[in-house]
Amino acid sequence: MRVTYGIAILCILVFAYGCRKYNELDEDTLDTRFSGGVNTAFDESSGAFSHAFPELSANDLAVHEVGDRHFEISFVTAPALIRPGLGPVYNNVSCASCHIADGRGKPALPGERLLSMLFRISIPGEDAHGGPVSVPGFGGQLQSNAVYGKALEGSVNISYTEEPVYFSDGQSISLRRPSYVVQNTYIPPPAGMLLSPRVAPPVFGLGLLQAIPESTILNWADEQDTDGDGISGKPNYVWNLRAGTSTLGRFGWKAGAPDLLQQTAGAYNEDMGITNPVFDQESSLGQSQFDGLNDEVEVSDSILKAVAFYTQTLSVPARRNIKDPVNVSGEKLFTQAGCNKCHKPSVRTAVDVSFRAVSNQLIFPYTDMLLHDMGTDLADNRPDFKANGLEWRTAPLWGIGLTQLVNGHSNFLHDGRARNLMEAILWHGGEAQAAKEFVRQLPKSDRDALLSFLASL
């Protein structure tokens, strides 16, 4: 989709930022409306997450649009004239079915089917590359659907228990604690199977996150908390299939994927059962659902790269109402609470002469891309490469204030348990315990200002 952008303003920014030295931040001239630098979309409608970078060449825009079409199309059971290959076991039929409007998914309510949420599974230990160990008979992800004539791997029933939390002024809020029961499995799962719930995250702005220099991310890391501020920050190193070695993890709730191509290829294979040049074996290989065929991959290299390019070139929605006094006050509280220690407001992307659209951009993602201990309440107790069962990657906050409008819900965190931003804050623990307590002690007017600031992102 295309929109009208503030072309004149963008040109000024391109000139201004293009002349700046790499990683040099001029705090006096920051315009925080431009969350994605020149790749910012000024759209406050339900389509806010779905705009291509505005400065793509005609050829790149054509590839983006090809990727867009294939992001949205649904696969069907083979044989079929078009888009065959679904399954035999799968979670959903298309990328867009989980990443609705390029935004975030939500958990199923009790008794509902899983639609935009999945469960990673493993057994204790590490595989040959330091990653999770696949579950015999199930693999690394529980597929809750199957094509006709095949058995689904299993499903998960979700229930919630309400728990009150009190602010210092006596007001309270109810948090819902999820409970998961694996059921309807086609064979008994092994005892001690580890389970990690994941809702589909937003896919806009990913190309800019991929362009953050690794050196910047590593400079933010403080794994031993040498500065004593209670915040560590640990990089995840994950197996890079194409490189044949471990590299920095960037994408996914635990930074378990090194780049957008592997992330996209893995989603095709695990979420839809679609083979591709990166993952050329069916996810059901070795199971009774496997069709036994060694046929050609079901998504070509060009289509796979086009879809990955689509996620690489989605603009970031602009911040709104940055001069509003309440939002200004809320931003100060965000800093005073220490939220900015993990949710880093700004960073400059690396210079990239091969793809200028993401090169040397001052962006405002509100993430450090690092793993942090988030406490026992949010723990999945399932390791994922260097991430232990308490750790999650700092989620970017840009665009978070438009979630309700675009996706029709305001569920946050990796499992969508939080029904609004305040619930999400109050689920924080571990390294974020002090920040949560700061917020819990605030008077209501300040809590409202903090939420108003977050809603402006």
Side-chain angles (χ1 to χ4, degrees):
M1 297 179 63
R2 307 298 303 276
V3 293
T4 302
Y5 293 84
I7 299 300
I9 297 175
L10 288 175
C11 290
I12 293 171
L13 285 174
V14 169
F15 176 78
Y17 293 152
C19 293
R20 286 180 178 171
K21 185 179 178 181
Y22 164 71
N23 217 30
E24 178 183 311
L25 298 181
D26 183 353
E27 300 292 340
D28 294 331
T29 58
L30 295 180
D31 188 337
T32 57
R33 292 174 302 164
F34 290 82
S35 300
V38 298
N39 301 304
T40 299
F42 285 82
D43 178 8
E44 299 180 28
S45 76
S46 59
F49 298 164
S50 300
H51 297 284
F53 284 178
E55 297 189 335
L56 293 178
S57 67
N59 182 65
D60 284 345
L61 182 58
V63 176
H64 174 96
E65 291 175 345
V66 169
D68 188 1
R69 289 196 296 275
H70 284 271
F71 190 86
E72 295 185 9
I73 65 168
S74 296
F75 286 88
V76 299
T77 306
L81 292 177
I82 57 173
R83 297 185 285 279
L86 180 68
V89 289
Y90 61 97
N91 292 105
N92 220 321
V93 298
S94 70
C95 306
S97 296
C98 289
H99 303 280
I100 299 169
D102 301 306
R104 71 183 65 233
K106 64 178 183 178
L109 294 174
E112 289 185 346
R113 294 179 58 197
L114 300 173
L115 294 177
S116 53
M117 179 184 192
L118 55 80
F119 287 80
R120 293 284 172 80
I121 53 177
S122 60
I123 58 176
E126 293 183 355
D127 69 9
H129 303 302
V133 180
S134 296
V135 180
F138 292 88
Q141 187 166 306
L142 188 69
Q143 275 94 14
S144 55
N145 292 292
V147 302
Y148 179 76
K150 300 292 185 180
L152 57 85
E153 291 185 332
S155 59
V156 177
N157 184 58
I158 306 174
S159 60
Y160 294 97
T161 303
E162 296 287 340
E163 301 178 2
V165 173
Y166 292 90
F167 298 102
S168 63
D169 61 6
Q171 294 194 5
S172 66
I173 187 173
S174 183
L175 304 183
R176 60 175 187 174
R177 184 181 297 276
S179 179
Y180 307 110
V181 176
V182 178
Q183 59 188 14
N184 304 322
T185 56
Y186 80 106
I187 58 174
M193 184 173 76
L194 305 176
L195 196 67
S196 182
R198 315 277 178 96
V199 297
V203 293
F204 61 82
L206 300 185
L208 295 165
L209 297 181
Q210 187 165 258
I212 297 175
E214 180 170 337
S215 59
T216 298
I217 297 172
L218 297 184
N219 283 338
W220 283 333
D222 184 16
E223 192 169 346
Q224 304 304 318
D225 191 23
T226 54
D227 62 5
D229 68 349
I231 307 296
S232 59
K234 183 174 81 176
N236 200 359
Y237 282 93
V238 303
W239 188 247
N240 187 317
L241 281 166
R242 290 179 298 142
T245 188
S246 292
T247 57
L248 179 68
R250 291 176 182 262
F251 299 107
W253 287 104
K254 284 181 179 273
D259 55 43
L260 291 174
L261 188 64
Q262 185 163 318
Q263 175 80 356
T264 304
Y268 264 123
N269 191 246
E270 291 283 353
D271 298 358
M272 292 173 276
I274 303 297
T275 56
N276 55 74
V278 179
F279 295 93
D280 59 2
Q281 299 288 338
E282 293 281 1
S283 60
S284 59
L285 180 67
Q287 301 178 198
S288 60
Q289 297 96 335
F290 183 52
D291 59 13
L293 300 176
N294 292 313
D295 43 10
E296 296 181 351
V297 295
E298 292 150 342
V299 162
S300 68
D301 183 63
S302 60
I303 296 301
L304 173 65
K305 289 179 177 175
V307 173
F309 187 73
Y310 172 70
T311 65
Q312 185 182 4
T313 51
L314 282 171
S315 295
V316 181
R319 265 200 69 188
R320 291 132 347 259
N321 305 315
I322 61 173
K323 301 296 185 183
D324 184 303
V326 175
N327 292 342
V328 172
S329 175
E331 185 172 10
K332 291 178 180 175
L333 291 166
F334 182 84
T335 301
Q336 291 171 9
C339 306
N340 61 327
K341 293 180 179 178
C342 302
H343 292 285
K344 300 285 188 186
S346 61
V347 64
R348 187 172 291 278
T349 61
V351 172
D352 185 348
V353 296
S354 65
F355 189 39
R356 295 184 59 189
V358 299
S359 179
N360 198 25
Q361 294 298 304
L362 179 61
I363 60 175
F364 300 87
Y366 290 85
T367 177
D368 60 5
M369 305 289 281
L370 294 168
L371 301 170
H372 294 274
D373 178 345
M374 293 299 291
T376 56
D377 284 337
L378 290 179
D380 65 354
N381 300 308
R382 176 182 180 272
D384 194 340
F385 292 95
K386 300 297 183 183
N388 65 36
L390 294 167
E391 294 172 327
W392 300 92
R393 187 202 65 165
T394 306
L397 299 183
W398 54 13
I400 199 169
L402 293 170
T403 301
Q404 179 69 54
L405 176 66
V406 175
N407 295 130
H409 67 82
S410 55
N411 295 122
F412 300 109
L413 300 176
H414 66 279
D415 54 8
R417 70 175 70 184
R419 292 162 292 193
N420 53 59
L421 290 170
M422 182 53 75
E423 288 188 24
I425 293 170
L426 295 177
W427 274 113
H428 281 52
E431 296 175 36
Q433 181 70 25
K436 179 181 73 174
E437 286 302 314
F438 179 92
V439 174
R440 208 175 61 80
Q441 299 298 322
L442 291 174
K444 186 176 186 306
S445 58
D446 283 351
R447 298 198 303 268
D448 290 344
L450 177 62
L451 294 178
S452 182
F453 160 68
L454 293 173
S456 76
L457 298 180

